[in-house]
Structures are given as structure tokens and as C-alpha cells.
Amino acid sequence: MTGEGLTRLEDELRRLKSEDRPAVIRAIAEARAHGDLSENAEYHAARDRQSFIEGRVLELEELISTAEVIDPSQLSGDTVKFGAHVELVDEETDKESGYQIVGVHEADIKLGRLSISSPLAKALIGKSVGDSVTVPTPGGDKSYEILTVTFK
């Protein structure tokens, strides 16, 4: 995991504990004040939310306690590996795209963070600038050429 990914998980854990957990406790107390709990939709929704929050807190605490942080700026070389920023061009459409190879729990394709376990990342690992990779997709195989590999 990158340091940035660990920070995001820690921020989420802090928010869940300091904001979301107290808010759901207040919502449960308020719903209880309405009387009969067996037919109280607000109460059941708040309990479901509380269950989700507690499960996510446990999951985040486990992830954070076992995380191995890798600083991509300390890496070098010209081959794609964890933490690399990779610029690609689709060989069919000439559309360029860029991704950073990150851990599973910090991946967000909308932000250009590609999970190390994704088919594209698996195809890119170990390749260099100028190499071509082919990735199976639901719409058929896609081929990309690696334009740049950097570590920031």
C-alpha cells in the first residue's frame, strides 16, 4: 500500500469513529423515543447503519494494522512495478491514459489508481517503455503500448 492510501484509510477510520458512530447512536436514541421498536423503520435503518459502521471500523483497523507501506518515490528503474505511474496508449484508438499501480484497498479507477490485482496491472508488471501488452476485456482483447514509467 502507498502512504497516501494508508492515510486515506486512517482518515476514513477517524471519521467513522468520531462522526458517523456518534451520529448513528443519536439516531438510534431518537428512534427509540418514538416508541414501539418492532414497527419503527427509523430504528431498524439506524441499527443497520450501526452494523455497517462497526463492521467497517473492524475491517479498517485490521487493514491498517497489517499494512505494508511502500514509498514509490524511493523506487526507480524503467520497468513497471508497484507504485509506478504508467502512461499508456490504446493501440486501436490512440487514446492515451495514465494510471498509478496501487494496492487493492486504495484502487479508484476514476482517480487513475489501478489495483495491482487488476488484469491490466498484472499485464503491465515487469514491462518497460515501448512494450506492448494485451489485456482480455469483456468486449475483446485490448492492446496498449507503454509510453512512460515514472515513480513519484
Side-chain angles (χ1 to χ4, degrees), residues 32 40 48 93 144:
R32 278 189 177 156
N40 189 329
D48 287 346
T93 65
Y144 299 94

Side-chain angles (χ1 to χ4, degrees), residues 15-66:
R15 181 184 49 79
L16 286 170
K17 285 182 168 182
S18 67
E19 296 173 22
D20 294 0
R21 187 185 267 169
V24 80
I25 290 170
R26 285 190 301 276
I28 290 171
E30 185 178 311
R32 278 189 177 156
H34 294 297
D36 184 13
L37 299 180
S38 64
E39 295 181 19
N40 189 329
E42 289 174 1
Y43 174 77
H44 293 293
R47 291 292 304 207
D48 287 346
R49 178 77 178 137
Q50 182 184 38
S51 178
F52 170 80
I53 290 170
E54 295 306 321
R56 185 65 178 156
V57 164
L58 291 173
E59 179 184 14
L60 289 171
E61 286 175 340
E62 174 68 19
L63 287 172
I64 290 168
S65 70
T66 60

Side-chain angles (χ1 to χ4, degrees), residues 2 4 8 83-88 96-103 106-116 118 120-121 124 150 152:
T2 64
E4 186 180 315
R8 276 195 302 281
H85 290 265
V86 184
E87 294 293 324
L88 307 171
E96 292 186 15
S97 53
Y99 303 102
Q100 180 183 17
I101 311 291
V102 298
E106 57 186 319
D108 186 341
I109 200 68
K110 293 175 189 166
L111 299 175
R113 295 188 188 107
L114 188 62
S115 169
I116 188 94
S118 70
L120 179 55
L124 291 170
T150 57
K152 302 176 189 173

Side-chain angles (χ1 to χ4, degrees), residues 132-151:
S132 235
V133 296
T134 302
V135 182
T137 68
D141 290 352
K142 300 276 281 177
S143 293
Y144 299 94
E145 180 183 343
I146 301 173
L147 300 177
T148 65
V149 177
T150 57
F151 299 93

